[in-house]
Amino acid sequence: MPTKEKILIVDDEPSFCRLMERLLEEDGYSCCTACSAADALKLLRTQPFDLLITDIRMPEVDGLELMRQVAGVYPDLAVLVTTGVNDREVALQALELGAFGYLIKPCEAFEVLVHVANSLRLARLEKLSQNYQQELEGQVARRTEELETANRQLEESNRQLLQQEKLASIGQLAAGIAHEIKTPTGFVASNLGSLQKYLQRLTEYRRALQQVVEESATEQQREALKQLARKLKIDLILEDLDELVANCQEGAERIKTIIQGLKDFSRQDSEIEELLDLNQIIEEALLLVWNELKYKAEVVRDLQDLPQLRGYRQRLGQVFVNLLVNAGHAIKEQGRIRVSAGREGAQIVVQIQDNGCGIPAENLEKIFEPFFTTKEIGVGTGLGLSIIKDIIEQHQGTIEVTSTSGQGSCFTLRLPAAGEE
């Protein structure tokens, strides 16, 4: 007959232990006996058992205490208790502690075998149930993780679509503005060039007239002309005209630069990965947001020579536009924005620092979360910094922020230089 489960019998009456051992071994079980709880614990530490049959009434440590000590250490051990006729209430306590049943002494052989078989069967079923529950919980956890991953991917896709639509809208707007401004700006620049030439000729002609007057006119005529020139402020006008034309030409050149920046920002091939000059992208972003910043902030540049960066011009342009606009919004009246760029090993490091209102400490960990914003309803969507973080991570970079409420914030971007990722 094949050996069945292993059983530990604990009773302070050796004769009862021998009787139970003989009965159970005849039915195919493997048995060990102990006459005290201490001996039982020693046996449990040395070998595994499937069932513990323990008397409740024992000296020093009783069966209930033995069950308590065993429960936490051997959770898979089934327990069956034996007790006298007058100890039914104690037997019920044993059931509350997890016993699968109890035997009333003296025990009939058939009753013992049935209780032992039932206890072992219930223990197996409980173990199977626990395993099934664990497996089910594992499947639920895996499925939940899959759903969370799918949800994150969906949110990521939605953010990317929103970003692409936003970039497309900004690109179309920039292209339209550049196109509308380019032609009249060309007229202005061309006319200013002609005006400068005409002014030079008029100045030369005036000198010639002055020479003729000095040589041919009477003293009275010369004095009258001088008084008229002073009255009309001819000398001052000619001096101012040179400066005015030069200033207008400088303004026209600035407009041309802005137009070129708009055209670069809206290029149809801007989604093509290419080698980029990050300093140029920063300058283009500053031009685009200058009207937003010039009345409230002094912009300090510290742009060192940088290696090229492989990436997407329009997306990186959006990063710096958003960060600069945010810096401007953080300054209530008059402040300062410092833009620095340099190299640290194989990385390009860019910092945009302002001395504005700062970010409260409790919000620092949330600012890159989608839809989180401290701006008023209708002012911000809460997607700007989230999109920035996505763009930087697409370029294998990182973005960090340090801030002190009331003193300002500093955003630090780290991007790999081309060929040194």
Side-chain angles (χ1 to χ4, degrees), residues 240-307:
D240 280 354
L241 277 176
D242 276 332
E243 186 175 351
L244 289 172
V245 171
N247 289 339
C248 288
Q249 286 179 322
E250 182 182 348
E253 287 301 317
R254 184 172 180 81
I255 292 173
K256 284 183 179 180
T257 304
I258 293 172
I259 291 171
Q260 186 59 47
L262 289 171
K263 289 174 66 178
D264 289 340
F265 189 79
S266 62
R267 285 189 312 169
Q268 294 299 318
D269 61 347
S270 60
E271 286 302 296
I272 298 175
E273 189 177 28
E274 57 185 321
L275 290 174
L276 302 172
D277 179 353
L278 202 59
N279 281 338
Q280 182 182 352
I281 294 175
I282 293 172
E283 291 289 359
E284 290 171 358
L286 284 167
L287 283 172
L288 288 171
V289 302
W290 178 242
N291 195 59
E292 181 90 18
L293 304 179
K294 64 181 179 181
Y295 297 113
K296 59 166 39 178
E298 173 194 6
V299 177
V300 179
R301 295 171 173 84
D302 181 15
L303 306 179
Q304 302 175 17
D305 289 337
L306 299 176

Side-chain angles (χ1 to χ4, degrees), residues 109-122:
F110 176 75
E111 183 182 5
V112 170
L113 295 175
V114 169
H115 274 79
V116 167
N118 285 340
S119 296
L120 289 168
R121 181 173 59 84
L122 288 172

Side-chain angles (χ1 to χ4, degrees), residues 187 225 236:
F187 291 153
L225 286 172
L236 183 61

Side-chain angles (χ1 to χ4, degrees), residues 64 67-68 88-99:
L64 294 180
M67 287 184 63
R68 293 189 185 97
R88 291 183 182 273
E89 290 186 5
V90 180
L92 292 176
Q93 292 181 31
L95 293 178
E96 291 177 354
L97 289 173

Side-chain angles (χ1 to χ4, degrees), residues 36 64 194 323 330 381:
S36 67
L64 294 180
S194 299
L323 288 177
T381 63

